[in-house]
């Protein structure tokens, strides 16, 4: 290998060139591709939501990705090894409309005995729900990232239009061509001039100033994007500080967010705890799962705050009981000290 070829592989620019990314502009207007990028970025966060132990056969992120994407997955045992895999429900349902078995299809696992085919729930496999209703995380993320993509396009258009201070109107083909060439260079970030000394005195051309409200529109778009990211973070149990009131928040207002973060994450954790119990009953293996990363930190902080609040309530109740007892004692002593009228 030549020295130049080796340098290309070592230097960051060379690496980007080798994988075909150098110079590519982010696909703002390709909504599907841009949305996919955002979805993958958020899944990079949620796949670290839980910390598993006792399930060494299934490595990260495959212990989480299928149920977060599809709403559920199953744990199966094939050839003395455990797998978490996507599946689809099949068979008759019980009185709670729960299916009898799942069907696993994976052409890349056809060489693993017993992998594909029917697996009866709580007999041959264990159902792993992402949440109680088996919605998964994907619909939540996709909802907000789709709006973020639309907002990004609006921001991009607003940014490009901010380069132009007026709209041009012409009545002949020559003026149209020169105006189009001018606008094209403006969009590309270049300076440009019009041909012809009489351009600005030509009666066939008019310039209409653009309203100065574009800056306020951009501000609103930026605030809307912060709102979308904040709302999505809160849906996923991440405390994201965003303030739409443009003023300082007091402590009570900022703590209101914490109560919103808990329910979905608690439900997801409980579904995984139930899975661990069922896996022990079916396969006899000990699996445990706990919150991880920022979700663990938030949980500990919430538990500590709840404990402090509970202690304060108990203290207030004890003081109230003490005051009541003293009041009753004083009243009793007062009644005993009164003279007998008879």
């Amino acid at each position: 290998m030549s020295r130049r070829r080796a340098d290309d592989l070592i230097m960051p620019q060379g690496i980007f060139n080798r994988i075909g990314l150098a110079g590519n502009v982010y696909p703002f207007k390709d909504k599907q591709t841009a949305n996919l990028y955002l979805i993958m970025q958020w899944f990079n966060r949620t796949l670290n939501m839980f910390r598993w132990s006792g399930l060494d056969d299934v490595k990260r992120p495959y212990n989480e990705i299928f149920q977060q994407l599809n709403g559920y997955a199953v744990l199966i045992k094939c050839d003395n090894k455990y797998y978490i895999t996507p599946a689809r429900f099949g068979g008759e349902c019980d009185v709670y409309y729960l299916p009898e078995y799942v069907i696993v299809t994976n052409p890349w696992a056809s060489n693993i005995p017993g992998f594909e085919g029917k697996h009866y729930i709580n007999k041959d496999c264990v159902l792993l729900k992402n949440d109680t209703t088996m919605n998964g995380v994907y619909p939540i993320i996709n909802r907000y990232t789709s709006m973020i993509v639309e907002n990004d396009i609006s921001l991009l258009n607003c940014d490009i239009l901010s380069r132009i201070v007026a709209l041009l109107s012409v009545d002949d083909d020559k003026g149209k061509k020169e105006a189009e060439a001018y606008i094209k260079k403006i969009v590309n970030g270049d300076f440009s001039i019009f041909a012809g000394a009489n351009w600005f005195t030509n009666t066939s051309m008019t310039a209409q100033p653009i309203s100065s409200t574009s800056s306020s529109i951009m501000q609103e778009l930026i605030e809307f994007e912060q709102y979308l990211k904040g709302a999505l973070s809160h849906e996923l149990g991440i405390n994201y500080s965003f303030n739409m009131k443009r003023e300082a928040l007091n402590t009570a207002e900022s703590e209101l967010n914490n109560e919103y973060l808990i329910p979905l994450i608690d439900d997801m954790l409980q579904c995984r705890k139930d899975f661990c119990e069922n896996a022990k009953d079916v396969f006899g293996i000990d699996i445990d799962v706990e919150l991880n990363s920022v979700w663990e930190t938030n949980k500990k902080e919430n538990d500590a705050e709840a404990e402090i609040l509970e202690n304060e309530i108990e203290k207030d109740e004890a003081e109230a009981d003490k005051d009541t007892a003293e009041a009753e004692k004083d009243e009793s002593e007062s009644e005993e000290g009164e003279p007998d009228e008879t």
Side-chain angles (χ1 to χ4, degrees), residues 71-253:
Y72 68 94
V74 292
L75 175 70
I76 60 177
K77 184 179 181 180
C78 302
D79 200 17
N80 293 322
K81 189 175 181 180
Y82 294 100
Y83 300 88
I84 290 181
T85 178
R88 55 188 176 89
F89 291 126
E92 297 182 358
C93 296
D94 60 16
V95 294
Y96 299 107
Y97 294 93
L98 297 177
E100 182 182 11
Y101 58 80
V102 296
I103 301 174
V104 176
T105 56
N106 186 340
W108 302 105
S110 58
N111 60 329
I112 303 176
F115 194 98
E116 293 189 300
K118 292 182 180 180
H119 298 270
Y120 286 85
I121 298 174
N122 291 333
K123 293 180 181 179
D124 306 323
C125 68
V126 180
L127 182 63
L128 172 52
K129 296 181 180 180
N130 180 75
D131 48 272
T132 300
T133 54
M134 293 183 287
N135 286 326
V137 175
Y138 174 81
I140 299 174
I141 295 177
N142 187 36
R143 175 194 175 194
Y144 287 98
T145 55
S146 297
M147 289 190 288
I148 291 174
V149 167
E150 297 290 345
N151 194 68
D152 282 345
I153 295 175
S154 299
L155 271 172
L156 177 66
N157 291 336
C158 190
D159 185 29
I160 292 176
L161 289 174
S162 67
R163 302 174 187 170
I164 306 173
V165 296
L167 296 177
L168 303 177
S169 174
V170 296
D171 294 333
D172 54 72
D173 291 339
K174 179 181 178 181
K176 180 176 180 293
K177 291 180 180 179
E178 293 192 4
E180 287 176 346
Y182 173 77
I183 295 298
K184 183 177 181 180
K185 289 193 174 184
I186 292 295
V187 171
N188 293 333
D190 298 330
F191 291 104
S192 183
I193 58 175
F194 289 112
N198 64 338
W199 181 265
F200 287 101
T201 59
N202 191 337
T203 56
S204 66
M205 186 277 294
T206 58
Q208 299 291 336
I210 295 180
S211 174
S212 59
T213 59
S214 59
S215 59
S216 63
I217 294 175
M218 180 170 287
Q219 178 67 29
E220 292 173 358
L221 292 173
I222 293 173
E223 291 178 354
F224 183 53
E225 180 159 342
Q226 293 303 311
Y227 162 76
L228 292 175
K229 292 179 179 178
L232 176 54
S233 297
H234 287 178
E235 290 278 1
L236 300 176
I238 303 174
N239 197 347
Y240 184 99
S241 298
F242 67 97
N243 180 14
M244 303 299 293
K245 299 192 300 181
R246 304 184 188 178
E247 61 186 28
L249 293 176
N250 58 39
T251 304
E253 289 175 320

Side-chain angles (χ1 to χ4, degrees), residues 48-49 237-239 291-300:
N48 294 300
M49 188 180 296
I238 303 174
N239 197 347
L291 292 174
N292 189 37
S293 187
V294 65
W295 293 273
E296 181 183 21
T297 302
N298 289 340
K299 181 66 173 177
K300 290 180 179 179

